[in-house]
Amino acid sequence: MKKAVKGLLLSMGTAVAASAGGTAYFYRRTMKRYHAKMERTMKMSGTDWNQYMSLLKERKEYMLAQPHEDVYITSDDGLKLHGVYFQGDGKSDKAVICFHGYTSQCMSDFTGLSDYYLKHGYRMLLVDARAHGESEGVYVGFGCPDRKDALGWIRWLIQNCGEQMQILLHGISMGGATVLMASGLELPKQVKGIISDCGFTSPKYVFTHVLHTMYHLPAFPMIQISDKINKRKAGYGLDECNAAREVQKAKVPILLIHGEADHFVPCRMCEEIYDNCASEKMKLIVSGAAHAESYYKDMTRYEQALDDFTGGIIK
């Protein structure tokens, strides 16, 4: 009996140690700057970007040829945040603030869409999320603290461009979650609409999905332990801010876009967010589009959705 008890305790101890080690490894690779790698994220997302390289190169050249400058704000918790501002002709009262995805940076995710916005007369403010690009920060925000950073960027745009500005918030992936989470805040009247492309509900649920489908691992207890660690280190819980809950408080119109073939952030998250949205809403599901691929998979429908959405809210 003693040997059996001893063996059971040893097995339990080994299992606990393995869980602790696995959680530490998962947390470090996912939540901490410099451990979270863009190459790994791109591989996991399953999107073949090679087929769009020629288009992206052409649009990047056009984008960089436009007047632009580096700009900075300080977050509520003291981080220096970086953005790149394209003023256009300097006369337009239309602007879009763009929020990139996980492990990306401000000048990457909106290279394609810059063609639409710049040619439609929008000023563009592309921002580096905390712990990304040239912005400070150690821990990735996954939308939760980033939504308050978004308020800072909105204030910057109004202060520097005028009270008459009509502002859109457009986010992709983690940026899509950020703008949806921001919808639950008291936004300045200049914010006229929110566009979320393949945004998730919360880090807890997207991590659970990835662990199940890509690593074939149970979420328990890894997510629960990571949640406690993150509250202590980064200051927020993994489901503390959930886009599906925040849009229940939304007052500005929201356009949701998602790829039907997105296996990284499943399309059902878009449906859940849409069902919970309290404000005026539109939805575009792009057949055959993988993660963050919707614009490139069906550019015509994507731009038409933008036209239809903005036509009712931007003068």
Side-chain angles (χ1 to χ4, degrees):
M1 178 62 78
K2 287 183 178 180
K3 286 184 179 181
V5 172
K6 194 172 184 179
L8 178 60
L9 291 174
L10 181 61
S11 297
M12 290 174 63
T14 302
V16 170
S19 291
T23 300
Y25 179 70
F26 167 78
Y27 185 82
R28 185 171 61 250
R29 278 169 55 102
T30 306
M31 303 300 299
K32 292 193 70 173
R33 184 178 199 144
Y34 306 123
H35 292 283
K37 303 293 185 182
M38 179 184 288
E39 296 78 10
R40 187 167 65 242
T41 305
M42 291 180 69
K43 184 178 180 180
M44 291 170 65
S45 73
T47 306
D48 177 15
W49 290 107
N50 291 325
Q51 60 187 312
Y52 305 118
M53 283 304 167
S54 177
L55 173 67
L56 288 168
K57 181 181 178 183
E58 177 186 327
R59 294 204 170 178
K60 186 173 184 179
E61 288 174 356
Y62 171 78
M63 181 183 184
L64 292 177
Q66 311 311 307
H68 59 280
E69 61 178 320
D70 293 303
V71 295
Y72 299 88
I73 63 170
T74 302
S75 70
D76 291 345
D77 53 349
L79 298 178
K80 186 178 181 181
L81 304 178
H82 167 259
V84 179
Y85 172 57
F86 290 77
Q87 67 171 6
D89 62 9
K91 299 176 182 178
S92 174
D93 64 356
K94 301 187 297 184
V96 59
I97 307 178
C98 303
F99 300 82
H100 64 76
Y102 176 59
T103 68
S104 189
Q105 53 188 330
C106 68
M107 293 293 283
S108 296
D109 289 7
F110 285 85
T111 300
L113 277 160
S114 66
D115 188 77
Y116 174 88
Y117 280 119
L118 291 173
K119 290 180 179 178
H120 278 73
Y122 284 83
R123 302 173 189 241
M124 292 186 76
L125 175 58
L126 300 96
V127 304
D128 277 332
R130 55 176 55 215
H132 289 75
E134 296 181 37
S135 288
E136 293 180 343
V138 175
Y139 297 99
V140 179
F142 284 101
C144 190
D146 307 275
R147 63 183 181 143
K148 295 180 180 178
D149 299 339
L151 283 177
W153 286 116
I154 294 166
R155 288 193 291 267
W156 181 92
L157 197 58
I158 296 169
Q159 289 167 5
N160 286 272
C161 301
E163 295 284 334
Q164 80 286 353
M165 294 306 298
Q166 302 179 81
I167 300 172
L168 298 175
L169 307 181
H170 193 152
I172 296 175
S173 192
M174 184 182 77
T178 298
V179 296
L180 291 173
M181 292 175 184
S183 74
L185 301 174
E186 194 65 39
L187 297 172
K189 64 181 181 180
Q190 287 84 357
V191 177
K192 303 300 182 181
I194 290 173
I195 303 152
S196 173
D197 184 339
C198 62
F200 51 78
T201 51
S202 76
K204 174 183 176 180
Y205 290 108
V206 78
F207 293 166
T208 298
H209 171 76
V210 168
L211 285 171
H212 285 166
T213 60
M214 298 184 182
Y215 291 97
H216 308 292
L217 291 171
F220 180 84
M222 203 174 293
I223 295 298
Q224 287 71 20
I225 298 172
S226 294
D227 180 67
K228 293 184 183 300
I229 294 171
N230 207 57
K231 283 178 181 176
R232 186 173 73 250
K233 291 182 175 291
Y236 71 93
L238 298 183
D239 193 44
E240 181 177 318
C241 193
N242 185 307
R245 292 197 300 266
E246 292 304 310
V247 296
Q248 294 174 5
K249 300 177 281 185
K251 297 177 182 176
V252 300
I254 293 177
L255 168 60
L256 295 168
I257 302 171
H258 217 101
E260 172 268 334
D262 190 340
H263 302 298
F264 193 40
V265 177
C267 196
R268 58 179 165 77
M269 289 193 178
C270 177
E271 300 293 352
E272 180 183 354
I273 294 165
Y274 183 84
D275 289 343
N276 279 277
C277 184
S279 62
E280 183 181 342
K281 55 192 176 182
M282 290 177 56
K283 178 174 63 176
L284 172 65
I285 305 299
V286 179
S287 179
H291 188 64
E293 191 187 17
S294 292
Y295 179 66
Y296 304 95
K297 199 73 172 178
D298 196 337
M299 202 173 294
T300 300
R301 286 185 66 210
Y302 198 113
E303 293 192 352
Q304 186 60 56
L306 291 178
D307 287 343
D308 293 343
F309 181 68
T310 58
I313 58 177
I314 300 292
K315 298 177 181 178

